[in-house]
Amino acid sequence: MSLIARLLATVFAQSRRRLARATGRIRRALRYEAHAYWRSRPINPHAVLYEAFNGSGLLCNPEALFRQLRITPDQAHLRHIWALKNPCTARREFRRDRTVRFVKTGSPAYYRALATSRFLISNATFPPQFSKRPGQIYLNTWHGTPLKRMGYDIVDGAFGTANIVRNFVSADYLLAANPFMARQMFERAYKLDGIFQGRMLLAGYPRIDRQTLSAAESHSARSRLAQLNPGGREIVLYAPTWKGASFAHPDDDLDALLHRVRQIEAGIDTSRYIVLLKTHQAVHALAARRADLVRMLVPNDLPTNVVLGLAGILVTDYSSIFFDFLATGLPIVFFTPDLADFQQNRGLYLNPAELPGPVCRTTAEVAAVIGQVADHGRLPAFTERYRIAQHDYVGQDDGAASARVIDVVFRGADPGPLLHESPAPARTSMLIYLGGMKPNGITSAALGLLAAIDHDRFDVSVAFAKSSAPARRANQRLIDPRVRQFARIGGMNGGFRQRLARRRKGASSAAFTAEFTRCFGGSRFDHVVDFSGYGPFWAELLLHSPPAERSIWLHNDLAADAHRSIGGAKRMLRGLTDTFARYDRYDSLVSVSPALAEINSEALAAYAPRSKFTVAHNSVDVERILRGAAEPAPEMPATDVETVDLTTFVTIGRLSPEKNQARLIRAFALVHARNPLTRLLIVGAGPLQADLTALILDLNLSSSVTLTGALANPYPVLAAADCFVLSSDYEGAPMVILEALVLNRPVVTVAFASVHDARPDATGIVVPQTDAGLAAGLTAFLRGDVVATHFDHEAYGRRAVTDFYRAIGVPVPDIEFDLDLELAQVTAAERALRR
């Protein structure tokens, strides 16, 4: 290809990408407009919206309920709307029925139905934009009893639960197929225990009703499979689950599936049996494109449970389909060649020894079991296990589950006999907004707090904006596993006018109430905490929770933060000023030290009365710090002398004006000139990185001062250093001093205003906020005048968590520390220093 041709191809490709992006933006704008408009219109009291597997077809529990409603005389007034990825595939059956229509998922018509239908039925999740309106009734049926682990029970599971948990807590009714599913999946794996405000029904599973086929239904279904099974042989249904790390992007293991089907067929009497393949919804789109699977692949639009009603033997692996098949009483074979790997990587709720059928590792073993069934009609060795499993998992599936659900949801019948009885919440509930989860002091303090809270006494939920940034994901993984996570996905609903109005004067109260519902469904909390305190959006959003005791944290001298200039601009002024304007609606304004409370109460007196300002010291997660310090330290640039002879100073913090690392570099230059066997490590990233790099070059310190950048785990560096140094102009209660004390490091710090409270037991040395003063502190360490002292982190931790309880309004009958007295004891010398 010539150079000109390559250039033209590049230009054409770029133009196509730009056009695709523009088209995508237009489509999104149209969806937003449609959704916003229809959310303002009345709800249609007769409309029912159904969605199964995000629009894959008329399937599962929604399909069973839909068909039962259509033949129920007193529900003839209903208008049925199906959300489908490809509506054309389903229209033929209902082309003469004016009570049924179809909308394409994600289209304006879809968002109209989502916003205006009174009844909403899903077996998975509605999209992030969904926020249930008053007057709507949401039934989530889910799509099966889980055998494989779910939600928080899998590694990194919390990250994938965001939209699922959001949907669950929005539902009026959750349908559990059995008590095991109610307890293990809903209450434990998705942490709904204590937070779900709706009703959990134990009515049986509507889709299992579909397995009981009339003669006409059986004939119709067999005719659908006539091309696959022209001789009408007995069906062995092979129905494996999907594999891979993501439901949206499953592994393509179709070659292996095809090979297994052929091997099983090679070992059985194919004049009597035929093996058909039923792929999982996540995999079917891939399978349908394979010509070599045409003769065995069950159509996706034929409901799975109808196929189960035709099958004589089920072969599966870890799919929930086996629970449904128990209702038939027919043999189940578990084919799990990767059992050890699957148990290690994903995990199972049942031990293989508990399964109601033989567990096979090879296709030859599967074929042999099918031969046993052919000879004897059953598997006697598994009779008792099968009976127990039927009792535990399909005990209520008598063919009338759909009718029972309709009676409760559509007629409003008393659900009492069908309710799963969860114990009344015994713990006090709290919602804590953690901030951006960036690697900083606020995140460190939040993680320490979550580890310190008494989880036997408190039901803790946290909120933050979902992010795929590696550093933020890493911090999310450090959240205490006993904590429920609400990762905010999507954005506030509204069209162009509403968005423009929000930019000009902020969103309306109604918009924030709807947004709280979108994020947290019907959840209610006794205490709501903005632990970040830096953003007006979250500060306002949390004020629209149902009634609660609300607190907001002040981690620094926020008036100073607001007026801090970076690159000649006061970038935080508007956001913090808007946050201050909300202070009067919070119950408590919590600073992280007594001195800081004094500063903030004076500087922000125009926004809230002094009585609202209180104190809670930051908690520190000692175990996390020690675990991190035990990991290998990253390699540092070589120096001119042997590392063993060096004295290493370290500082950790964002490279921003208030941290004043430039002062530390200048002070170090003075010390290094007299003590060349020294080096300085500056851990962090930020807007002043280029300026600090230039300063290091100007002072000819390139071989002795290192900017490491941000480190996901700075603790090995801190632990290996000889002395920790802090050079800030102002601080709140810097977590990094506590972290240095946990690691038994000596501390040299300048005398910022709240330094007294930042040093438990007056640890380390405090020096003036000048280059010479800081140089004198470093020199004092080199002389041996600054040494590490014992830090009683257990006593400090008890004090800090008690502070927190009291600050958010939790009664603490045996409080050990009088914080009002402590606040009053800020010394006159410190006040003079601040002035």
Side-chain angles (χ1 to χ4, degrees), residues 467-533:
S467 171
S468 58
R472 300 189 191 200
R473 284 287 303 274
N475 282 326
Q476 184 193 343
R477 293 188 185 100
L478 296 174
I479 292 173
D480 191 288
R482 295 168 291 183
V483 171
R484 183 185 302 107
Q485 299 181 29
F486 285 98
R488 182 175 179 262
I489 55 175
M492 293 183 79
N493 286 311
F496 175 76
R497 291 181 180 177
Q498 291 96 325
R499 290 168 183 264
L500 184 61
R502 285 205 291 267
R503 289 183 181 180
R504 289 177 175 174
K505 57 183 180 181
S508 66
S509 177
F512 271 106
T513 299
E515 177 64 5
F516 192 93
T517 299
R518 191 187 73 83
C519 293
F520 304 103
S523 306
R524 304 181 71 89
F525 306 96
D526 299 311
H527 302 272
V528 173
V529 178
D530 182 349
F531 194 76
S532 168

XYZ file of all heavy atoms in Angstrom, residues 467-533:
523
model
N -14.964 3.213 40.188
C -13.855 3.600 39.330
C -13.074 2.369 38.932
O -12.951 1.418 39.705
C -12.927 4.588 40.061
O -11.747 4.817 39.313
N -12.543 2.383 37.706
C -11.681 1.288 37.264
C -10.204 1.639 37.401
O -9.340 0.854 37.017
C -11.986 0.933 35.807
O -11.812 2.068 34.970
N -9.900 2.832 37.950
C -8.501 3.225 38.148
C -7.826 2.230 39.088
O -8.359 1.937 40.169
C -8.427 4.637 38.717
N -6.670 1.705 38.714
C -6.044 0.640 39.521
C -5.828 1.014 40.983
O -6.075 0.200 41.877
C -4.713 0.402 38.800
C -4.969 0.812 37.382
C -5.923 1.965 37.471
N -5.361 2.243 41.248
C -5.085 2.619 42.638
C -6.369 2.666 43.462
O -6.393 2.252 44.629
C -4.383 3.976 42.684
N -7.439 3.149 42.872
C -8.716 3.217 43.601
C -9.294 1.818 43.799
O -9.842 1.504 44.855
C -9.703 4.113 42.852
C -9.202 5.538 42.690
C -10.291 6.439 42.151
N -9.759 7.736 41.746
C -10.487 8.826 41.595
N -11.775 8.789 41.817
N -9.940 9.954 41.221
N -9.179 0.975 42.763
C -9.633 -0.406 42.899
C -8.862 -1.104 44.018
O -9.421 -1.875 44.800
C -9.430 -1.160 41.583
C -10.422 -0.868 40.489
C -11.788 -1.474 40.767
N -11.739 -2.903 40.968
C -11.787 -3.817 39.992
N -11.877 -3.409 38.731
N -11.775 -5.092 40.261
N -7.553 -0.858 44.082
C -6.736 -1.476 45.119
C -7.217 -1.062 46.504
O -7.284 -1.891 47.429
C -5.267 -1.111 44.922
N -7.567 0.206 46.680
C -8.074 0.658 47.976
C -9.443 0.073 48.284
O -9.754 -0.241 49.437
C -8.131 2.188 48.004
C -6.767 2.809 48.224
O -5.928 2.259 48.939
N -6.512 3.945 47.603
N -10.281 -0.079 47.252
C -11.594 -0.678 47.483
C -11.449 -2.110 48.003
O -12.211 -2.552 48.862
C -12.420 -0.675 46.196
C -13.834 -1.211 46.406
C -14.548 -1.518 45.107
O -14.143 -1.054 44.045
N -15.601 -2.311 45.183
N -10.462 -2.825 47.478
C -10.253 -4.201 47.922
C -9.849 -4.271 49.397
O -9.961 -5.330 50.024
C -9.183 -4.874 47.069
C -9.599 -5.092 45.620
C -8.567 -5.927 44.875
N -8.911 -6.018 43.466
C -8.350 -5.275 42.505
N -7.403 -4.398 42.825
N -8.706 -5.423 41.252
N -9.358 -3.177 49.938
C -8.924 -3.156 51.333
C -10.067 -2.868 52.305
O -9.871 -2.917 53.517
C -7.824 -2.097 51.511
C -6.519 -2.355 50.751
C -5.575 -1.164 50.902
C -5.842 -3.636 51.231
N -11.254 -2.568 51.785
C -12.404 -2.311 52.658
C -12.719 -3.572 53.453
O -12.720 -4.687 52.916
C -13.626 -1.865 51.825
C -13.363 -0.476 51.215
C -14.897 -1.839 52.667
C -14.425 -0.022 50.238
N -12.986 -3.415 54.728
C -13.293 -4.543 55.594
C -14.390 -5.403 54.962
O -15.427 -4.891 54.537
C -13.751 -4.018 56.964
C -13.835 -5.122 57.997
O -14.760 -5.953 57.890
O -12.987 -5.160 58.904
N -14.195 -6.706 54.869
C -15.174 -7.563 54.173
C -16.531 -7.626 54.844
O -17.493 -8.101 54.234
C -14.491 -8.947 54.168
C -13.490 -8.899 55.271
C -13.019 -7.475 55.337
N -16.650 -7.162 56.066
C -17.949 -7.164 56.737
C -18.818 -5.981 56.315
O -19.986 -5.892 56.710
C -17.733 -7.125 58.248
C -17.052 -8.365 58.817
C -16.602 -8.177 60.245
N -15.493 -7.235 60.340
C -14.866 -6.926 61.461
N -15.244 -7.507 62.598
N -13.868 -6.061 61.476
N -18.257 -5.113 55.499
C -18.935 -3.871 55.111
C -19.665 -4.055 53.785
O -19.150 -4.677 52.857
C -17.907 -2.726 55.007
C -18.522 -1.474 54.403
C -17.317 -2.433 56.386
N -20.847 -3.503 53.680
C -21.632 -3.493 52.439
C -21.199 -2.298 51.593
O -21.089 -1.192 52.104
C -23.113 -3.406 52.777
C -24.068 -3.468 51.606
C -25.498 -3.239 52.072
N -25.905 -4.203 53.085
C -26.049 -3.915 54.376
N -25.808 -2.670 54.822
N -26.427 -4.837 55.244
N -20.994 -2.515 50.303
C -20.492 -1.446 49.448
C -21.545 -1.014 48.424
O -22.089 -1.845 47.700
C -19.231 -1.905 48.707
C -18.089 -2.283 49.636
C -16.851 -2.705 48.887
O -16.600 -2.271 47.769
N -16.048 -3.560 49.505
N -21.799 0.288 48.387
C -22.633 0.877 47.342
C -21.716 1.703 46.437
O -21.403 2.855 46.741
C -23.708 1.784 47.938
C -24.851 1.062 48.597
C -24.886 0.883 49.968
C -25.890 0.556 47.833
C -25.938 0.225 50.580
C -26.958 -0.109 48.431
C -26.985 -0.275 49.809
N -21.250 1.082 45.358
C -20.417 1.812 44.397
C -21.354 2.539 43.433
O -22.132 1.903 42.721
C -19.507 0.859 43.649
N -21.279 3.857 43.418
C -22.204 4.637 42.581
C -21.837 4.481 41.114
O -20.713 4.756 40.708
C -22.175 6.116 42.988
C -23.151 6.983 42.185
C -23.163 8.412 42.707
N -24.059 9.254 41.939
C -23.677 10.058 40.950
N -22.396 10.150 40.628
N -24.564 10.784 40.285
N -22.808 4.053 40.324
C -22.625 3.934 38.885
C -23.674 4.790 38.200
O -24.742 5.066 38.743
C -22.745 2.470 38.417
C -24.080 1.881 38.872
C -21.597 1.645 38.935
C -24.331 0.482 38.360
N -23.366 5.227 36.970
C -24.313 6.090 36.274
C -24.345 7.486 36.863
O -23.505 7.860 37.692
N -25.311 8.262 36.435
C -25.428 9.635 36.905
C -26.872 10.023 37.124
O -27.802 9.238 36.888
N -27.066 11.244 37.578
C -28.413 11.729 37.853
C -29.250 11.730 36.572
O -28.766 12.059 35.491
C -28.374 13.151 38.435
C -27.753 13.227 39.802
S -27.797 14.912 40.492
C -29.501 15.005 41.054
N -30.503 11.335 36.723
C -31.403 11.367 35.585
C -31.778 12.806 35.255
O -31.781 13.683 36.115
C -32.662 10.548 35.878
C -32.392 9.064 35.827
O -31.802 8.572 34.872
N -32.807 8.339 36.860
N -32.109 13.029 34.004
C -32.522 14.367 33.581
C -32.116 14.632 32.149
O -31.125 14.099 31.660
N -32.908 15.447 31.479
C -32.596 15.823 30.114
C -31.689 17.035 30.051
O -31.114 17.468 31.055
N -31.570 17.610 28.861
C -30.638 18.721 28.644
C -30.972 19.904 29.540
O -30.089 20.514 30.144
C -30.678 19.140 27.169
C -29.838 20.349 26.873
C -28.456 20.240 26.790
C -30.420 21.599 26.702
C -27.668 21.359 26.527
C -29.648 22.716 26.438
C -28.269 22.595 26.349
N -32.253 20.238 29.648
C -32.634 21.407 30.462
C -32.287 21.201 31.923
O -31.776 22.115 32.580
C -34.128 21.685 30.301
C -34.527 22.185 28.912
C -36.014 22.465 28.846
N -36.410 22.953 27.529
C -37.665 23.223 27.187
N -38.642 23.038 28.068
N -37.931 23.660 25.972
N -32.576 20.014 32.426
C -32.267 19.755 33.833
C -30.760 19.787 34.075
O -30.290 20.309 35.086
C -32.828 18.392 34.262
C -34.353 18.333 34.320
C -34.947 17.775 33.046
O -34.429 17.999 31.959
N -36.045 17.044 33.194
N -29.989 19.242 33.145
C -28.539 19.243 33.309
C -27.976 20.655 33.238
O -27.064 21.013 33.990
C -27.896 18.343 32.242
C -28.189 16.884 32.477
C -27.809 16.011 31.274
N -28.176 14.636 31.552
C -27.354 13.718 32.035
N -26.100 14.033 32.304
N -27.766 12.496 32.272
N -28.507 21.443 32.340
C -28.063 22.834 32.240
C -28.409 23.587 33.516
O -27.590 24.366 34.047
C -28.712 23.503 31.023
C -28.260 24.941 30.733
C -26.765 24.981 30.439
C -29.051 25.514 29.554
N -29.614 23.356 34.046
C -30.023 24.028 35.287
C -29.134 23.612 36.450
O -28.796 24.432 37.307
C -31.483 23.709 35.594
N -28.739 22.344 36.481
C -27.868 21.879 37.562
C -26.526 22.589 37.516
O -25.935 22.896 38.553
C -27.677 20.363 37.474
C -28.874 19.563 37.917
C -28.462 18.171 38.379
N -28.004 17.327 37.303
C -28.774 16.485 36.630
N -30.065 16.412 36.906
N -28.266 15.713 35.693
N -26.004 22.819 36.313
C -24.717 23.501 36.195
C -24.827 24.952 36.649
O -23.880 25.514 37.210
C -24.227 23.441 34.747
C -23.790 22.051 34.314
C -23.245 22.076 32.888
N -22.836 20.742 32.461
C -22.326 20.471 31.263
N -22.168 21.463 30.384
N -21.982 19.249 30.945
N -25.971 25.543 36.406
C -26.119 26.964 36.744
C -26.429 27.194 38.214
O -25.851 28.069 38.850
C -27.243 27.578 35.884
C -26.870 27.728 34.410
C -28.048 28.277 33.628
N -27.692 28.554 32.242
C -28.578 28.930 31.313
N -29.856 29.051 31.629
N -28.173 29.162 30.076
N -27.355 26.414 38.747
C -27.795 26.685 40.122
C -27.979 25.435 40.982
O -28.552 25.508 42.062
C -29.102 27.479 40.097
C -30.233 26.798 39.323
C -31.473 27.689 39.298
C -32.611 27.019 38.527
N -33.811 27.891 38.480
N -27.472 24.292 40.480
C -27.574 23.075 41.269
C -28.891 22.361 41.029
O -29.874 22.953 40.566
N -28.904 21.081 41.344
C -30.101 20.279 41.134
C -31.154 20.605 42.183
O -30.862 21.078 43.280
C -29.750 18.795 41.179
N -32.399 20.321 41.822
C -33.504 20.555 42.743
C -33.498 19.518 43.856
O -32.861 18.465 43.757
C -34.830 20.474 41.985
O -35.035 19.144 41.521
N -34.235 19.813 44.893
C -34.349 18.870 46.003
C -34.953 17.563 45.524
O -34.497 16.478 45.912
C -35.212 19.480 47.107
O -35.412 18.566 48.166
N -35.969 17.640 44.653
C -36.607 16.426 44.143
C -35.624 15.585 43.348
O -35.645 14.346 43.407
C -37.812 16.790 43.274
N -34.733 16.239 42.606
C -33.750 15.501 41.808
C -32.775 14.752 42.706
O -32.399 13.604 42.415
C -32.994 16.460 40.891
N -32.374 15.369 43.813
C -31.458 14.688 44.722
C -32.156 13.556 45.473
O -31.548 12.518 45.745
C -30.840 15.679 45.704
C -29.568 16.299 45.207
C -29.542 17.610 44.771
C -28.399 15.568 45.157
C -28.368 18.189 44.304
C -27.218 16.126 44.695
C -27.201 17.433 44.262
N -33.427 13.731 45.800
C -34.174 12.644 46.438
C -34.276 11.450 45.495
O -34.083 10.295 45.899
C -35.575 13.125 46.838
O -35.444 14.199 47.783
C -36.376 12.008 47.480
N -34.547 11.728 44.218
C -34.608 10.655 43.227
C -33.245 9.999 43.052
O -33.150 8.784 42.853
C -35.111 11.204 41.888
N -32.175 10.792 43.131
C -30.839 10.238 42.983
C -30.472 9.358 44.171
O -29.829 8.316 44.003
C -29.819 11.355 42.806
C -28.382 10.903 42.706
C -28.079 10.048 41.492
O -28.971 9.864 40.632
O -26.945 9.541 41.394
N -30.869 9.763 45.368
C -30.608 8.906 46.527
C -31.326 7.570 46.345
O -30.757 6.507 46.617
C -31.048 9.585 47.822
C -30.549 8.878 49.059
C -29.361 9.264 49.647
C -31.250 7.818 49.616
C -28.872 8.604 50.770
C -30.780 7.151 50.729
C -29.587 7.545 51.311
N -32.562 7.624 45.855
C -33.310 6.391 45.601
C -32.632 5.568 44.518
O -32.554 4.338 44.614
C -34.750 6.725 45.178
O -35.393 7.448 46.236
C -35.543 5.467 44.878
N -32.120 6.236 43.476
C -31.425 5.504 42.412
C -30.199 4.777 42.956
O -29.916 3.640 42.580
C -31.003 6.465 41.295
C -30.514 5.786 40.025
C -29.950 6.792 39.033
N -28.657 7.307 39.475
C -27.488 6.686 39.284
N -27.459 5.520 38.657
N -26.364 7.217 39.719
N -29.487 5.408 43.850
C -28.251 4.822 44.390
C -28.493 3.796 45.486
O -27.778 2.792 45.559
C -27.354 5.935 44.944
S -26.701 7.063 43.706
N -29.484 4.037 46.334
C -29.632 3.224 47.547
C -31.009 2.561 47.667
O -31.285 1.923 48.679
C -29.372 4.077 48.789
C -28.033 4.759 48.783
C -27.924 6.110 48.482
C -26.873 4.041 49.019
C -26.695 6.752 48.455
C -25.633 4.662 48.997
C -25.539 6.020 48.708
N -31.853 2.708 46.638
C -33.155 2.065 46.671
C -33.967 2.481 47.872
O -34.044 3.662 48.216
N -34.560 1.507 48.541
C -35.377 1.799 49.715
C -34.615 1.718 51.022
O -35.223 1.701 52.097
N -33.282 1.678 50.961
C -32.478 1.518 52.175
C -32.677 2.678 53.137
O -32.825 3.835 52.723
C -30.987 1.423 51.803
O -30.755 0.408 50.864
N -32.651 2.350 54.401
C -32.753 3.355 55.462
C -31.575 3.166 56.414
O -31.142 2.051 56.675
C -34.082 3.229 56.220
C -35.317 3.323 55.327
C -36.590 3.218 56.128
N -36.812 4.400 56.933
C -37.461 5.482 56.520
N -37.950 5.531 55.305
N -37.624 6.519 57.315
N -31.095 4.284 56.942
C -29.923 4.256 57.823
C -30.189 5.100 59.055
O -30.826 6.159 58.972
C -28.692 4.796 57.078
C -28.415 4.103 55.775
C -28.869 4.630 54.580
C -27.718 2.903 55.750
C -28.629 3.998 53.376
C -27.465 2.253 54.550
C -27.920 2.805 53.364
N -29.686 4.647 60.184
C -29.808 5.428 61.420
C -28.844 6.611 61.417
O -29.166 7.677 61.950
C -29.521 4.542 62.634
C -30.497 3.382 62.740
O -31.709 3.627 62.639
O -30.041 2.230 62.905
N -27.664 6.414 60.813
C -26.636 7.458 60.781
C -26.077 7.553 59.369
O -25.803 6.526 58.735
C -25.502 7.150 61.772
C -25.969 7.004 63.182
N -26.075 8.073 64.047
C -26.386 5.917 63.875
C -26.522 7.647 65.213
N -26.724 6.342 65.133
N -25.915 8.775 58.888
C -25.366 9.026 57.553
C -24.158 9.933 57.715
O -24.251 10.996 58.353
C -26.429 9.670 56.638
C -25.819 10.082 55.309
C -27.583 8.694 56.403
N -23.029 9.522 57.127
C -21.754 10.202 57.365
C -21.086 10.547 56.045
O -20.864 9.657 55.211
C -20.809 9.307 58.200
C -19.458 9.992 58.399
C -21.449 8.948 59.541
N -20.764 11.817 55.858
C -19.892 12.224 54.748
C -18.473 12.284 55.310
O -18.072 13.277 55.900
C -20.319 13.581 54.191
C -19.461 14.023 53.010
O -18.418 13.400 52.760
O -19.830 15.011 52.344
N -17.732 11.187 55.135
C -16.401 11.111 55.733
C -15.369 11.876 54.911
O -14.275 12.159 55.394
C -15.966 9.647 55.879
C -14.771 9.459 56.772
C -14.900 9.535 58.148
C -13.515 9.210 56.231
C -13.799 9.380 58.973
C -12.410 9.045 57.041
C -12.556 9.138 58.424
N -15.698 12.222 53.689
C -14.781 13.000 52.861
C -14.888 14.480 53.196
O -13.924 15.107 53.617
C -15.075 12.776 51.383
O -14.381 13.711 50.589
N -16.088 15.030 52.997
C -16.318 16.430 53.339
C -15.796 17.422 52.332
O -15.809 18.626 52.594
